[in-house]
Amino acid sequence: MRLLIIEDDPLLQRSLAANLREENYAVDTADDGESGLFKASNSDYDCIVLDGMLPVFDGWEVLRRLRPLKSTPVLMLTARDAVPDRVRGLDAGADDYLTKPFDSDELLARIRALIRRSSGQASSLLEIDGITIDTASRTVSQDGKEISLTAREYALVEYLALHRSQVVSRSELYEHLFDEDDDTLSNLLDVHVSNIRKKLGPEFITTRRGHGYSVE
């Protein structure tokens, strides 16, 4: 899953990005409202973490300009904790609102919930033919036995499972699993698919030749 952090405090931005990368998210960052809006408008992120008080224009203005273009889940993360600010953020199109200081575990849980809900999933457990994907603990088990996956393999399995029965193109997978600094011209995706089939069975991921991959 690929996230965008729009935050002008460099220390907090680096800390957030590091924590989210430790949780195996691909993470892009922006320092102000203008550059954040440009990235949010031109890439398909799975969730955006948006500060309220930003240079150039603030988080509420980012939302006002973004919403006619994109329905990406947005979590506002701001020091403005007054009820009118929360109402303004949610009415502007934010999907959730968390005030600083915040608990990292709560932030991660809210991001997971936003991603899950945007895919139409109510539960954190996804069951597919004896394979269980736990999006809360970010683990995969088969017939009750946990399967060891690399971070990128897990991200690929989770994305396909959240889009079960849909054909997901290679370009969409690159868009959602790799950040802007990754090399997307390599055969990394093919390597990950091959490794997942060895661990979860050759039938788990179906190749739709010329179109992409799917999990049925």
Side-chain angles (χ1 to χ4, degrees):
M1 299 296 171
R2 186 177 177 190
L3 311 181
L4 173 64
I5 300 170
I6 309 176
E7 169 62 60
D8 65 324
D9 181 330
L11 291 177
L12 179 57
Q13 185 196 95
R14 282 198 296 273
S15 173
L16 275 172
N19 286 340
L20 290 169
R21 286 178 180 129
E22 283 181 4
E23 293 295 316
N24 303 323
Y25 292 106
V27 180
D28 295 337
T29 58
D31 305 322
D32 59 62
E34 184 176 36
S35 62
L37 177 63
F38 178 81
K39 290 185 177 183
S41 302
N42 289 281
S43 295
D44 288 326
Y45 292 99
D46 295 289
C47 185
I48 297 170
V49 178
L50 175 66
D51 187 16
M53 305 306 294
L54 291 165
V56 187
F57 45 77
D58 64 25
W60 291 270
E61 183 63 15
V62 172
L63 279 170
R64 190 185 71 77
R65 298 189 189 198
L66 178 65
R67 277 301 176 235
L69 307 173
K70 294 277 189 178
S71 58
T72 310
V74 173
L75 187 156
M76 285 202 77
L77 184 64
T78 174
R80 299 282 290 268
D81 61 354
V83 170
D85 293 317
R86 295 168 185 252
V87 171
R88 183 183 168 206
L90 294 169
D91 281 347
D95 299 276
D96 200 357
Y97 196 103
L98 184 62
T99 58
K100 303 172 183 174
F102 59 92
D103 182 89
S104 294
D105 288 339
E106 182 181 1
L107 173 67
L108 291 169
R110 287 173 183 257
I111 289 172
R112 289 195 298 268
L114 287 175
I115 293 172
R116 192 171 65 238
R117 288 202 298 269
S118 71
S119 300
Q121 299 290 336
S123 171
S124 61
L125 295 178
L126 308 174
E127 305 274 358
I128 301 173
D129 295 334
I131 294 171
T132 303
I133 299 106
D134 187 334
T135 62
S137 64
R138 303 179 71 79
T139 58
V140 174
S141 57
Q142 186 170 30
D143 298 326
K145 179 182 177 183
E146 186 169 329
I147 305 298
S148 177
L149 298 180
T150 67
R152 197 59 61 77
E153 290 167 1
Y154 172 81
L156 177 55
V157 168
E158 182 187 89
Y159 192 86
L160 290 173
L162 286 171
H163 297 81
R164 186 178 184 182
S165 300
Q166 300 175 29
V167 178
V168 181
S169 69
R170 291 173 60 86
S171 61
E172 181 177 343
L173 289 171
Y174 275 117
E175 179 85 7
H176 286 270
L177 302 183
F178 297 85
D179 64 34
E180 58 192 356
D181 297 322
D182 282 324
D183 175 13
T184 58
L185 298 178
S186 68
N187 66 339
L188 273 177
L189 191 58
D190 304 295
V191 173
H192 293 316
V193 169
S194 175
N195 289 338
I196 290 168
R197 283 173 171 154
K198 291 175 184 173
K199 296 176 181 179
L200 298 180
E203 307 301 324
F204 181 68
I205 295 177
T206 301
T207 299
R208 303 295 183 186
R209 197 163 300 281
H211 298 283
Y213 299 100
S214 67
V215 166
E216 303 297 335

